[in-house]
Amino acid sequence: MARTSRFPGFYKVTVHERRSLVGDATGADPVEIERSLDAGGLDADTADKFVENVIGTYALPYGVALNVRVNGHDHVVPMVTEEPSVVAAASNAAKIVRDAGGFTAEADPPLMTAQVQLYGVADAPAAASRIDARAGEIVKLANTALGGLVARGGGAREVETRVLADDVVVVHVIIDCQDAMGANLVNGAAEAIAYLLAEIAGGRVGLRILSNLCDKRCVRVSCQVPADGLATDAMSGDEVVDGIVNASRFAELDPYRAATHNKGIMNGIDAVVIATGNDWRAAEAGAHAFAARTGRYRPLAVWRRDGDHLRGTLELPLALGTVGGTLRVHPAARLSLRMLGVTDAQVLATIAASVGLASNLAAVRALATDGIQRGHMGLHARAVALAAGAIGDQVERVASMIVEARDITVEGARKALSVLAAAVGEAASAVD
Ligand code: MEV
């Protein structure tokens, strides 16, 4: 059965009902959903096996982005984030994109780079040529440290040398990590070859570690939406397209704006990276280094007008795994992959990047139209309504009333609650 990512009214039902809707749509077992997500899915004893000096765990909200269609496939996308509006904004923008056919995305093969620094080299260019000439032997040695990976079809592929200074050569070994993120594999291979490299170069071994600027493992996403799909109550679709293109131009001209533009993209990507048990610091390091690769910090996504359509494109390096690491031990991370219906790390990267482009579209559309505060205001109002004691349906109604009255305070929400209670009392006596 084809999966859907459309659940109209999802936000209106209870957490329990949402779990069962997601379970039905994705085939995830409702009992597993309950077990994996209650209390953050991780008890202190399990956490104690992850890191050192554990005294507890720290939970974050786990939501799902809806309407995400990538290369013709729908996905319910888990997102872990503490920031209000991020999940709703990504879902809303993904709906606009889905109505226009969805995201188109492709990911490079899962190639990571191991770096070995050699220093104290007498003649760096000559040393680099000697290393290049023995590339086959170096690849073979690296693969001795990568037995399991080689058996799965991956392993070291090629050697590159770079002369960084008169006496410094850095050697890159490019490793196909298959469905693993690959950090441990790559670091192991770097250590395995380092002393052979130093001997060939006639220098000393420096650092042996992966590079997080994994620019051979990029993902590219695009979407194209008709102007009409972007219209707001106050602005025509054409005006919104112009506003978004103008926002993109601002980010392309100014690193101060580009940083915030990219932060909005990473709001979506990081949330998926965390939910799937991946390393979000690695994703961040790669993204920002890539954004600055020309010597000037630039936006990772840009927006252009194409006739009466808006076209967005995003490119960034993204090293994600669907095996190993945290996934081995974190039940919620395993559940996330099952909900996504994904075992291929490249597919996971296309989905995470699509959510990044959706987040960016939502942000620049809001900024080019109402400003970002209005959406935030609605969520804030709901939190205030809850704090004033609203329950069930009352939450939405009280939130709308206090936004309308421009009095988003607990006192304002209490007043709204008494107005609602009085209205219910009147309706009841009318029936009597
Ligand atoms: C807030 O988390 C993200 C935004 O600032 C992104 C942007 O400005 O594009 C809204």
Side-chain angles (χ1 to χ4, degrees), residues 190-249:
E191 292 186 0
I193 58 174
Y195 290 93
L196 172 64
L197 295 175
E199 195 185 302
I200 301 172
R204 300 179 64 184
V205 172
L207 306 190
R208 294 146 289 164
I209 189 79
L210 90 166
S211 169
N212 285 119
L213 176 51
C214 48
D215 54 5
K216 294 187 192 301
R217 199 175 185 175
C218 281
V219 55
R220 284 164 288 278
V221 191
S222 63
C223 64
Q224 175 135 346
V225 293
D228 287 351
L230 296 161
T232 66
D233 291 344
M235 283 171 77
S236 72
D238 263 333
E239 286 169 326
V240 179
V241 170
D242 288 340
I244 292 176
V245 170
N246 184 47
S248 178
R249 184 152 182 249

Side-chain angles (χ1 to χ4, degrees), residues 37-336:
L37 296 184
D38 275 337
L42 191 63
D43 58 62
D45 287 340
T46 311
D48 196 32
K49 298 184 180 67
F50 274 46
V51 302
E52 308 70 38
N53 299 350
V54 165
I55 61 167
T57 59
Y58 179 115
L60 288 170
Y62 183 110
V64 287
L66 304 179
N67 313 315
V68 180
R69 177 172 285 178
V70 185
N71 295 336
H73 297 284
D74 272 29
H75 300 279
V76 174
V77 187
M79 296 179 77
V80 170
T81 178
E82 88 300 347
E83 184 171 331
S85 293
V86 165
V87 179
S91 302
N92 290 338
K95 168 143 190 339
I96 296 174
V97 174
R98 187 177 187 273
D99 289 345
F103 297 96
T104 303
E106 57 167 33
D108 290 336
L111 297 177
M112 297 295 282
T113 300
Q115 289 198 294
V116 178
Q117 178 203 20
L118 302 169
Y119 67 101
V121 176
D123 177 349
S129 305
R130 287 198 298 279
I131 289 170
D132 287 335
R134 290 175 67 179
E137 188 186 338
I138 295 161
V139 163
K140 223 183 217 167
L141 183 60
N143 279 333
T144 59
L146 298 169
L149 180 63
V150 172
R152 295 200 302 277
R157 296 286 185 248
E158 54 182 307
V159 174
E160 293 170 352
T161 46
R162 295 165 56 226
V163 173
L164 297 189
D166 288 349
D167 65 329
V168 181
V169 176
V170 65
V171 181
H172 287 186
V173 178
I174 313 302
I175 298 171
D176 179 339
C177 294
Q178 298 280 297
D179 289 318
M181 185 276 185
N184 291 329
L185 295 164
V186 172
N187 295 342
E191 292 186 0
I193 58 174
Y195 290 93
L196 172 64
L197 295 175
E199 195 185 302
I200 301 172
R204 300 179 64 184
V205 172
L207 306 190
R208 294 146 289 164
I209 189 79
L210 90 166
S211 169
N212 285 119
L213 176 51
C214 48
D215 54 5
K216 294 187 192 301
R217 199 175 185 175
C218 281
V219 55
R220 284 164 288 278
V221 191
S222 63
C223 64
Q224 175 135 346
V225 293
D228 287 351
L230 296 161
T232 66
D233 291 344
M235 283 171 77
S236 72
D238 263 333
E239 286 169 326
V240 179
V241 170
D242 288 340
I244 292 176
V245 170
N246 184 47
S248 178
R249 184 152 182 249
F250 182 10
E252 289 163 56
L253 291 170
D254 179 16
Y256 285 90
R257 172 58 206 156
T260 323
H261 183 96
N262 289 345
K263 192 273 185 181
I265 295 168
M266 299 313 289
N267 271 347
I269 294 181
D270 282 342
V272 181
V273 172
I274 297 171
T276 54
N278 276 287
D279 181 342
W280 70 94
R281 288 86 55 213
E284 286 282 338
H288 297 294
F290 189 73
R293 70 194 181 286
T294 57
R296 180 190 171 84
Y297 187 89
R298 295 184 57 81
L300 295 165
V302 294
W303 296 92
R304 296 283 182 270
R305 177 184 276 282
D306 186 353
D308 55 1
H309 282 67
L310 174 74
R311 183 175 163 73
T313 50
L314 165 68
E315 182 179 21
L316 81 163
L318 199 51
L320 301 185
T322 57
V323 294
T326 307
L327 276 160
R328 247 185 247 128
V329 266
H330 204 304
R334 284 200 301 271
L335 173 73
S336 295

Side-chain angles (χ1 to χ4, degrees), residues 335-424:
L335 173 73
S336 295
L337 288 185
R338 257 198 293 284
M339 272 170 36
L340 279 166
V342 160
T343 52
D344 182 318
Q346 285 169 269
V347 175
L348 179 59
T350 61
I351 296 169
S354 299
V355 175
L357 191 57
S359 300
N360 183 231
L361 173 58
V364 288
R365 179 170 179 248
L367 288 164
T369 55
D370 297 331
I372 212 76
Q373 285 308 100
R374 187 161 160 208
H376 281 238
M377 208 60 90
L379 275 164
H380 177 55
R382 265 182 248 157
V384 170
L386 280 167
I391 49 169
D393 285 355
Q394 290 174 336
V395 178
E396 275 306 316
R397 296 177 68 184
V398 168
S400 316
M401 288 163 80
I402 58 180
V403 168
E404 186 104 329
R406 294 180 188 276
D407 182 14
I408 307 177
T409 60
V410 175
E411 198 40 48
R414 285 204 185 108
K415 274 190 215 141
L417 267 175
S418 10
V419 172
L420 280 183
V424 170

